[in-house]
Amino acid sequence: MTAKPHRRALRSVAVAAIGAFVLAGCASDDGGPVELTWYINPDNGGQTALAEQCSDASNGAYNISTSLLPRDAASQREQLARRLAAGDKTMDIMSLDPPFVPELAEPGFLATPPADVIERTTKDTLEGPALAAQWEGEYVTVPFFANTQVLFYRKSVAEAAGLDMSQPVTWQQIMDAAETQDKYLGVHGIQGESMTVWVNGLIESAGGSIVQGDAASAEGIQLGLDSEAGDKAAAIIGNIGDKGLGGPGISSQDESAAGVQFRGDKGSFMVNWPFVYPAAVAAAEEGSIDQSVIDDIAWTTWPRVDADTETAPPVGGINLGVGSDSQHQEEAWDAIECIVSPENQSSYMVSDGNPASSSVAYDDPEVQEAFPMSETIRESLDIAVPRPQTPYYNEVSTGIQQTWTPIYDVNENTPKESAEFITSVLNGEAML
Amino acid sequence: MSTTVEQRPAHKGKEAKAPVSDRTRGERRLGWMLAGPAFVVMLLVTMYPIVQALWDSLYSYRLTAPDDRSFVFLQNYMTVLGDPVFLSALLVTLFITVVTVAVELVIGFALALVMNSVLKTFRGVVRTAILVPYGIITVVSAFAWFYAFDINTGYVNTWFEWLPIIGPDFNWFGQQWSALFVIMASEIWKTTPFISLLLLAGLAQVPGELNEAAKVDGAGWWQRMYKVTLPSMKAAIMVAVVFRALDAFRIFDNVFIMTNGQYGTETLSLLAYRTSITRLEIGLGSAVSVILFLCVLLIAFVAIKVFKVDLAGGKG
Amino acid sequence: MTTKQKLGWAIAIVIVMIWSLFPVFSILMNSFKSNADLQSGGFLPSAFTWANYEMIFTGSARDLFLPALRNSIGISVIATALAVVLATLCAYAIARLDFRGKRIILVTALAVSMFPVVSIVTPLFNVWRQIGLYDTWLGLILPYLSLTLPISIWTLAAFFQQIPWDLERAAQVDGATSFQAFRKVIVPLAAPGVFTTAIIAFFIAWNDFVFGIGLTSTDAARPVPAALAFFTGASMFEDPAGAISAAAIVVTIPVIILVLAFQRQIVAGLTQGAVKG
């Protein structure tokens, strides 16, 4: 380092490197057909492929470029809401997580879809996704793909525990099975959106609802957390936490971490979105897990809370919306119509593992072949119940996430405490 | 982030002292013409927003409900100051500040000693090594430490399995103390070079004769350190502590990346960010921002007035 | 020096090296691990793979990383250049001219450097979205100046104090025009200080995270540190640890190059002439 020429050489390398970086920075856009921007959530590249496909099919009417949103739903909402509030004119097409639709629809950030587009795009839509695309009884977005959680299980574990998986199982049953077999239960204990998904699924399965009353105003919201259904949910979550059934990493475990745990030695039962299955298959092909693990995996609908009451599985997915400040709304709706066609939904389901919102898409033999669980998914979507629809969803959800984690601290007081906490947050009396 | 400033621009060129009044006026105009743009830019991008924040903090204003904006005067401040979330964030922030500054002072001093007295041959190597954490992006440091400790991707649990508590099942980010430990480790690693460079500057100002004299008098290494070196470095140490404390009090990146404030690791900066940017509650968030600003102001004030730390150095 | 002392120094140097470089090495190793390897709990990869680098340069993370890299470089370089130009003028005035308000400028710079960045990001967001600077390069360059200007002014002012300005007049006496005197005598003396300041300012701009996530929302302006926080793995829900590690190494390379090439100047700049030579 002390030899002068040496240092000089390094110095010129540094300067050259920076110079090259700067030059690389000077890229420019070129014109052409109407440029549409589609803000997409991360996937396996399927939405980008659809963007190209529909651009080509438009015969030069429009060209869709995609812009990637962050990984988790809350950050996606944050980015979109801030851009919309900023009056961004490029919000042509947005992939929206359904729970956040009311918050964006209420202040008029979303353009109203033309009636004929709605008619053509929603005629085969399953009930759950259809509801999730509306706000106050009107379509404000177009359903694209739907998603639901199913119960994955390891056949070997279920067999050893003596569970008949052809019949609906309860949370109590799988908890007992995991405990006796000394395995981990695949749940999501991270302080994140997945926690709300879990709590909501349990409460809805027990016959309750997190949000009741006038969901449109902060003062009008009635919370159904402190109820019999809420107590049952707290008992299940608290029990799993208490006994450590979720595994050691439960406090920071999200959906993908649960998926990894499930395909390990300690996997038993797991509630999760279907994408974890293709991920496991890919891991087997890559050689990081054994094929026998894949053969051991099976699935059924979400577990019940009460043995005699039908379960209410979580529903998720993505709707497509158009920003009210978009300069190319007409082309955007045309593009959306192309994107959500049943054929595209089924090909997207095959390529990216995200289930279609259109019932027709499931009839595609390719879907049935690539997605052995497609029948379970369709069944689940039939009985699935969405998360609370309110412009204050973020407050409700974050409030739940903060009061229901870590799950080993959840007890019989949790529902009441969380209800009080969220109420005071909504009234502006407490901070999140 | 700032730098050592104990050496205030002091002596001026001789000509600048010429007592001609026309010349003085001309110089003043030229001085402001040259210095003005930088001055204006600094004011515009800091003072204007903080005044705006002060204004916004008096309103109940949510970005996604623009029509419900209403004047609430100090209501937001009452909500914030009386809230356990705020109190906990304040305590965590203070805790992080005190611990990191204390640890960094020790490590930083050791590094400064090494840099100061290492053989010329190795000086470059040592400096280079120490400058790497200084130059590295804080977010990168956060990820490096996070992945090392994380229960899924980390190796720390494997390495330190022989310790009590730690084992393959130990989740560092599952409870407050251990999560704060990793957050502070990353913060300390990244910012110690800064403090040690300030201390290095201080070391260079220790009069060599004094040390020599003490040596002749038979003082040992520790004695000389304690009696001569440290006292003559007092000013440099205080400046380093204040700058680092103000910086540590604003800690954000490490917490955001590692826990996002989960499990009792939220700091004031993160709370301000989450309230205004994530929750889009501009009014409430601005109140937190203003309070954060006042805290920093208070620390600086206490440092300057009570502890007489001469941050700007020298005379006016 | 005795053998014992030599050994002591060797140990001290090794400890400093490990302390300073280990975390970088740790994330470097992560960047060479396959996905399965990342979960194994080992420190070294069981097999080195370039897959993570492929992912960020040609694979699925490309659209997230490359624009962010372009933004980071562009914005940091421009912000650095602007800060250095403005600070040079300002510091020159402070060092050479006698005018009232000098003290105010220096104190303001000091105050701005202590400013909690988070406090101004919300109001800036509000103003930026109204005047169309939200999610643009300029929208980040301006706030970056609030980070880079104070330290640049202080560092340069100290550098300029040490320049023997009388040489300029001496050159003029020797027949040089004032411009020649400035160019031939002052510029070579001032250049190292300006250059060092530029490096320090670049580090600061390169490091920013709060403005990066607060004032951007797409790849139009999002810099690398902010993009890292939003990284995704090879598929939607896969852990992005490998890709993040690779990207982290890529953005650390310029830092390492600058540090390797200019460690002496950076240390001198940061300790402001306290360490001479």
Side-chain angles (χ1 to χ4, degrees):
Chain A
M1 215 53 31
T2 38
K4 280 263 152 128
H6 183 46
R7 186 182 295 149
R8 204 160 288 148
L10 264 174
R11 204 174 290 180
S12 52
V13 167
V15 171
I18 292 171
F21 281 153
V22 175
L23 286 179
C26 303
S28 66
D29 290 331
D30 45 59
V34 169
E35 282 293 330
L36 295 176
T37 311
W38 179 11
Y39 291 83
I40 59 169
N41 59 300
D43 60 5
N44 287 357
Q47 291 180 79
T48 311
L50 284 178
E52 265 171 46
Q53 203 180 311
C54 286
S55 302
D56 290 346
S58 78
N59 292 322
Y62 53 79
N63 184 37
I64 312 172
S65 56
T66 53
S67 180
L68 198 60
L69 293 165
R71 193 156 92 118
D72 65 297
S75 313
Q76 291 168 16
R77 158 200 168 266
E78 180 190 317
Q79 300 292 331
L80 289 170
R82 297 173 63 213
R83 275 201 93 84
L84 288 164
D88 193 316
K89 295 181 172 59
T90 70
M91 308 298 281
D92 302 317
I93 308 173
M94 294 171 284
S95 292
L96 300 167
D97 203 6
F100 297 116
V101 166
E103 185 184 26
L104 302 181
E106 183 70 14
F109 289 166
L110 299 178
T112 313
D116 56 322
V117 173
I118 288 301
E119 202 187 301
R120 288 193 296 271
T121 52
T122 60
K123 58 179 189 289
D124 305 314
T125 306
L126 292 161
E127 189 60 17
L131 276 176
Q134 303 171 27
W135 171 237
E136 298 190 315
E138 301 282 342
Y139 274 100
V140 287
T141 53
V142 170
F144 173 32
F145 67 81
N147 213 345
T148 186
Q149 286 192 0
V150 298
L151 173 65
F152 289 93
Y153 61 95
R154 300 282 287 265
K155 292 179 209 160
S156 53
V157 180
E159 207 169 294
L163 274 182
D164 176 11
M165 297 305 290
S166 66
Q167 298 299 313
V169 290
T170 63
W171 279 93
Q172 193 57 50
Q173 281 175 307
I174 61 169
M175 281 154 64
D176 291 344
E179 197 180 354
T180 53
Q181 301 302 309
D182 189 25
K183 302 279 183 190
Y184 295 140
L185 213 51
V187 287
H188 323 121
I190 191 173
Q191 208 179 83
E193 184 60 24
S194 54
M195 194 67 220
T196 313
V197 169
W198 190 16
V199 174
N200 187 64
L202 290 173
I203 291 183
E204 291 285 350
S205 293
S209 263
I210 292 181
V211 165
Q212 298 152 342
D214 173 20
S217 74
E219 297 78 24
I221 294 179
Q222 299 285 315
L223 292 168
L225 282 161
D226 189 11
S227 62
E228 199 190 330
D231 291 343
K232 285 180 182 167
I236 291 171
I237 293 175
N239 231 319
I240 293 175
D242 247 7
K243 294 182 174 155
L245 292 177
I250 186 67
S251 306
S252 49
Q253 181 155 295
D254 60 8
E255 291 98 327
S256 40
V260 171
Q261 184 193 61
F262 176 72
R263 59 193 200 224
D265 295 337
K266 288 270 208 169
S268 64
F269 300 85
M270 169 178 69
V271 286
N272 217 329
W273 311 98
F275 78 89
V276 291
Y277 184 70
V281 172
E285 279 163 6
E286 193 188 89
S288 58
I289 60 167
D290 205 69
Q291 177 61 33
S292 65
V293 175
I294 303 296
D295 300 335
D296 194 31
I297 296 176
W299 47 83
T300 181
T301 44
W302 226 59
R304 292 179 172 189
V305 170
D306 297 314
D308 309 324
T309 315
E310 183 63 277
T311 177
V315 56
I318 287 294
N319 304 336
L320 298 182
V322 174
S324 51
D325 286 330
S326 159
Q327 303 281 288
H328 309 292
Q329 300 192 6
E330 205 175 307
E331 288 86 357
W333 290 117
D334 284 348
I336 287 177
E337 211 173 323
C338 167
I339 292 164
V340 303
S341 74
E343 306 80 67
N344 282 346
Q345 287 196 24
S346 47
S347 70
Y348 182 72
M349 186 168 176
V350 172
S351 65
D352 286 64
N354 285 321
S357 60
S358 156
S359 62
V360 181
Y362 290 85
D363 300 334
D364 189 326
E366 237 183 281
V367 166
Q368 288 168 355
E369 192 195 332
F371 248 81
M373 68 203 61
S374 63
E375 212 30 60
T376 309
I377 293 169
R378 181 149 49 167
E379 242 170 72
S380 181
L381 277 174
D382 263 350
I383 51 174
V385 179
R387 277 160 278 167
Q389 281 188 304
T390 161
Y392 297 91
Y393 179 76
N394 180 57
E395 274 67 24
V396 173
S397 176
T398 312
I400 289 175
Q401 291 165 34
Q402 291 190 356
T403 43
W404 291 67
T405 53
I407 65 166
Y408 46 77
D409 284 345
V410 170
N411 56 36
E412 67 274 12
N413 298 324
T414 305
K416 188 163 187 284
E417 284 164 7
S418 67
E420 282 167 0
F421 176 59
I422 295 168
T423 306
S424 53
V425 168
L426 288 172
N427 293 338
E429 290 154 4
M431 308 183 68
L432 277 173
Chain B
M1 203 89 26
S2 185
T3 181
T4 164
V5 284
E6 68 268 68
Q7 282 223 329
R8 207 191 68 83
H11 46 88
K12 295 141 195 152
K14 274 177 202 142
E15 52 190 330
K17 276 189 181 155
V20 187
S21 83
D22 263 3
R23 177 153 196 152
T24 312
R25 210 172 300 133
E27 273 202 23
R28 187 185 301 170
R29 197 176 320 126
L30 181 62
W32 275 104
M33 264 166 61
L34 292 174
F39 186 67
V40 169
V41 168
M42 283 193 297
L43 281 191
L44 268 186
V45 286
T46 50
M47 295 307 157
Y48 173 71
I50 200 71
V51 171
Q52 176 77 41
L54 205 60
W55 178 255
D56 285 339
S57 69
L58 304 177
Y59 285 83
S60 164
Y61 175 33
R62 184 189 166 90
L63 200 60
T64 52
D67 301 335
D68 298 343
R69 189 168 186 263
S70 62
F71 185 78
V72 294
F73 196 42
L74 295 177
Q75 176 64 47
N76 287 328
Y77 289 93
M78 315 269 244
T79 307
V80 174
L81 292 172
D83 201 286
V85 174
F86 168 76
L87 194 69
S88 137
L90 179 66
L91 289 178
V92 167
T93 310
L94 283 173
F95 177 75
I96 292 178
T97 306
V98 171
V99 174
T100 54
V101 172
V103 174
E104 285 177 29
L105 208 51
V106 175
I107 303 179
F109 193 70
L111 290 180
L113 280 180
V114 172
M115 276 194 279
N116 193 46
S117 36
V118 74
L119 283 178
K120 261 232 157 80
T121 332
F122 296 110
R123 199 163 281 174
V125 182
V126 171
R127 278 175 178 168
T128 307
I130 287 173
L131 282 177
V132 166
Y134 169 79
I136 214 164
I137 295 176
T138 313
V139 170
V140 170
S141 164
F143 274 118
W145 287 85
F146 176 78
Y147 288 139
F149 283 83
D150 181 48
I151 190 163
N152 296 314
T153 56
Y155 49 84
V156 169
N157 280 349
T158 324
W159 281 13
F160 295 96
E161 219 176 322
W162 47 275
L163 284 172
I165 317 176
I166 300 170
D169 286 354
F170 186 67
N171 188 354
W172 286 87
F173 302 101
Q175 57 276 316
Q176 189 182 33
W177 73 267
S178 55
L180 283 180
F181 176 83
V182 187
I183 288 168
M184 290 191 296
S186 172
E187 180 80 3
I188 288 168
W189 179 73
K190 156 78 191 159
T191 51
T192 298
F194 173 76
I195 218 168
S196 76
L197 287 172
L198 294 195
L199 294 176
L200 179 63
L203 266 181
Q205 287 168 343
V206 174
E209 320 84 74
L210 265 182
N211 244 329
E212 282 307 313
K215 212 171 183 176
V216 172
D217 291 349
W221 189 85
W222 281 110
Q223 257 181 316
R224 270 180 286 142
M225 185 60 51
Y226 189 71
K227 292 261 167 65
V228 180
T229 310
L230 286 178
S232 19
M233 283 180 68
K234 204 178 146 222
I237 293 174
M238 288 310 277
V239 169
V241 165
V242 172
F243 268 109
R244 257 309 294 154
L246 288 172
D247 196 36
F249 197 79
R250 300 176 288 188
I251 182 171
F252 179 83
D253 305 12
N254 276 309
V255 190
F256 185 96
I257 295 295
M258 292 202 217
T259 62
N260 200 9
Q262 280 188 55
Y263 305 123
T265 56
E266 183 149 81
T267 62
L268 277 187
S269 282
L270 194 65
L271 181 66
Y273 180 85
R274 273 200 326 105
T275 311
S276 51
I277 305 268
T278 308
R279 286 188 59 202
L280 307 167
E281 291 282 357
I282 305 288
L284 204 58
S286 296
V288 184
S289 298
V290 170
I291 292 171
L292 173 66
F293 172 64
L294 292 177
C295 286
V296 169
L297 216 59
L298 185 74
I299 297 179
F301 181 81
V302 167
I304 292 168
K305 290 290 164 192
V306 180
F307 292 104
K308 308 267 189 259
V309 178
D310 194 0
L311 288 178
K315 53 200 189 306
Chain C
M1 204 189 264
T2 64
T3 324
K4 212 173 158 190
Q5 273 175 317
K6 271 186 196 156
L7 191 71
W9 273 115
I11 293 173
I13 290 169
V14 168
I15 290 176
V16 170
M17 300 291 281
I18 291 178
W19 157 261
S20 302
L21 302 179
F22 187 77
V24 183
F25 190 65
S26 164
I27 202 163
L28 180 70
M29 289 302 105
N30 269 352
S31 74
F32 290 121
K33 286 180 189 168
S34 72
N35 242 320
D37 217 3
L38 275 165
Q39 315 281 342
S40 68
F43 174 64
L44 294 172
S46 56
F48 281 80
T49 166
W50 288 99
N52 295 317
Y53 290 93
E54 276 163 22
M55 202 192 300
I56 58 169
F57 281 114
T58 56
S60 58
R62 175 178 179 269
D63 292 340
L64 206 66
F65 181 66
L66 290 183
L69 189 62
R70 193 187 64 204
N71 293 334
S72 256
I73 293 162
I75 294 169
S76 300
V77 167
I78 296 173
T80 303
L82 275 177
V84 168
V85 169
L86 291 177
T88 303
L89 297 177
C90 185
Y92 175 83
I94 287 170
R96 281 219 68 193
L97 304 175
D98 201 11
F99 64 103
R100 211 184 296 159
K102 217 187 243 196
R103 171 92 180 156
I104 294 176
I105 294 170
L106 284 169
V107 170
T108 304
L110 193 65
V112 167
S113 75
M114 294 173 183
F115 222 83
V117 170
V118 169
S119 293
I120 54 175
V121 75
T122 310
L124 275 182
F125 162 71
N126 255 333
V127 179
W128 274 194
R129 76 189 170 94
Q130 276 155 21
I131 61 176
L133 281 182
Y134 179 60
D135 203 20
T136 63
W137 278 27
L138 189 59
L140 281 186
I141 290 170
L142 286 176
Y144 280 13
L145 288 179
S146 77
L147 303 176
T148 52
L149 266 180
I151 192 171
S152 303
I153 291 172
W154 277 88
T155 314
L156 277 172
F159 264 115
F160 289 168
Q161 295 291 319
Q162 295 164 354
I163 292 179
W165 295 99
D166 294 346
L167 280 182
E168 188 180 19
R169 203 187 296 154
Q172 274 168 308
V173 171
D174 288 350
T177 65
S178 58
F179 179 70
Q180 275 175 329
F182 182 74
R183 197 172 61 94
K184 292 257 167 71
V185 180
I186 299 304
V187 168
L189 284 172
V194 173
F195 188 72
T196 303
T197 306
I199 294 174
I200 296 169
F202 178 79
F203 279 168
I204 292 171
W206 192 240
N207 183 53
D208 164 75
F209 181 58
V210 179
F211 288 131
I213 50 171
L215 300 177
T216 69
S217 67
T218 65
D219 57 19
R222 185 185 292 145
V224 173
L228 283 181
F230 296 142
F231 248 55
T232 50
S235 73
M236 184 172 173
F237 286 93
E238 209 160 282
D239 198 37
I244 289 178
S245 302
I249 290 300
V250 172
V251 293
T252 304
I253 290 172
V255 172
I256 305 249
I257 292 176
L258 287 173
V259 165
L260 274 178
F262 306 113
Q263 42 88 8
R264 203 171 57 83
Q265 289 86 337
I266 299 171
V267 169
L270 286 168
T271 53
Q272 283 201 13
V275 189
K276 288 192 188 101

